Amino acid sequence: KNEVEQSPQNLTAQEGEFITINCSYSVGISALHWLQQHPGGGIVSLFMLSSGKKKHGRLIATINIQEKHSSLHITASHPRDSAVYICAEAPGAQKLVFGQGTRLTINP
Amino acid sequence: NAGVTQTPKFQVLKTGQSMTLQCAQDMNHNSMYWYRQDPGMGLRLIYYSASEGTTDKGEVPNGYNVSRLNKREFSLRLESAAPSQTSVYFCASSEAQPFRGYTFGSGTRLTVV
């Protein structure tokens, strides 16, 4: 059974702090996805990666295929980064299997 | 610029009532999906449609039916709503190949009382 585990489940930090959210998965995958769910509920894709590292603005996603582990980092965090961050694995059948999400709150 | 459109955004049903959640995409995607999201749990797949004319069960299909009306539209029907179906429902679509992830609708918050 595909399982995706995220940690922590909840994270509160002060503006400016460096944020790390972790994701572990159980089976071989074709890609690992990171998504952001805004407080209003909408879900948008942030990254899709199958190796190495990707960067977009202050967000960085890394993956270690051998260890079946991925991290999402946010540098210089800002209150507008407050959201639920979700990782999902794509085991190869055009369907995503989702983690339970990490609720991030950045206080000013 | 519509992407994936879901209707309605909110709905309250009484136990035993039926309703259909509508989903339409304008990105010419082949694959469409219905997920439910419950507190403390990840998004769980209810049904999906890999292409027009095909549908398959996901992880939690009981109590639901779907129709892939055409390439654009994929509807989810609750025949006899139960309180356990209180949830937020998301429709999504994707290209089949290459698979680059989903485009999500804005969600439907359903409460069954």
Side-chain angles (χ1 to χ4, degrees):
Chain A
K1 183 172 183 244
N2 298 342
E3 290 187 354
V4 179
E5 296 290 334
Q6 289 185 234
S7 63
Q9 290 192 23
N10 294 282
L11 178 57
T12 300
Q14 292 299 122
E15 183 173 356
E17 288 189 35
F18 181 82
I19 303 299
T20 296
I21 298 170
N22 296 299
C23 176
S24 297
Y25 53 93
S26 60
V27 298
I29 60 170
S30 60
L32 193 288
H33 296 249
W34 283 100
L35 306 98
Q36 180 190 57
Q37 185 169 24
H38 302 296
I43 302 173
V44 295
S45 291
L46 297 174
F47 295 104
M48 182 181 79
L49 66 166
S50 53
S51 65
K53 179 168 73 174
K54 287 193 174 180
K55 184 176 188 290
H56 181 69
R58 296 179 294 104
L59 273 61
I60 304 166
T62 63
I63 190 168
N64 184 317
I65 297 293
Q66 286 73 30
E67 295 185 2
K68 296 187 173 63
H69 181 270
S70 177
S71 293
L72 177 68
H73 305 285
I74 305 175
T75 62
S77 59
H78 189 275
R80 65 175 175 267
D81 297 325
S82 297
V84 175
Y85 292 85
I86 303 169
C87 72
E89 61 174 3
Q94 297 177 24
K95 296 194 297 294
L96 293 179
V97 177
F98 293 87
Q100 79 274 33
T102 294
R103 183 174 299 277
L104 174 65
T105 304
I106 304 296
N107 293 319
Chain B
N1 198 30
V4 178
T5 303
Q6 275 183 250
T7 56
K9 292 192 185 305
F10 301 94
Q11 184 71 49
V12 179
L13 289 178
K14 293 182 179 179
T15 297
Q17 287 186 318
S18 62
M19 80 161 295
T20 300
L21 282 65
Q22 306 287 353
C23 177
Q25 52 94 7
D26 62 2
M27 294 170 293
N28 203 36
H29 285 166
N30 283 309
S31 302
M32 298 186 74
Y33 313 82
W34 277 105
Y35 282 86
R36 60 179 288 173
Q37 185 179 41
D38 300 295
M41 304 184 74
L43 289 150
R44 292 183 294 167
L45 183 64
I46 305 171
Y47 271 94
Y48 69 101
S49 172
S51 61
E52 184 179 355
T54 68
T55 61
D56 288 285
K57 295 179 180 179
E59 181 184 356
V60 288
N62 292 343
Y64 305 94
N65 285 300
V66 290
S67 296
R68 183 75 183 265
L69 304 169
N70 47 55
K71 190 171 186 178
R72 291 186 65 248
E73 298 173 287
F74 188 40
S75 61
L76 178 72
R77 182 159 178 86
L78 286 70
E79 291 290 353
S80 179
S84 61
Q85 294 178 303
T86 294
S87 188
V88 181
Y89 292 84
F90 286 94
C91 177
S93 70
S94 72
E95 295 175 348
Q97 291 292 344
F99 177 66
R100 296 196 183 97
Y102 296 164
T103 301
F104 283 91
S106 57
T108 297
R109 186 173 294 275
L110 175 67
T111 302
V112 183
V113 298

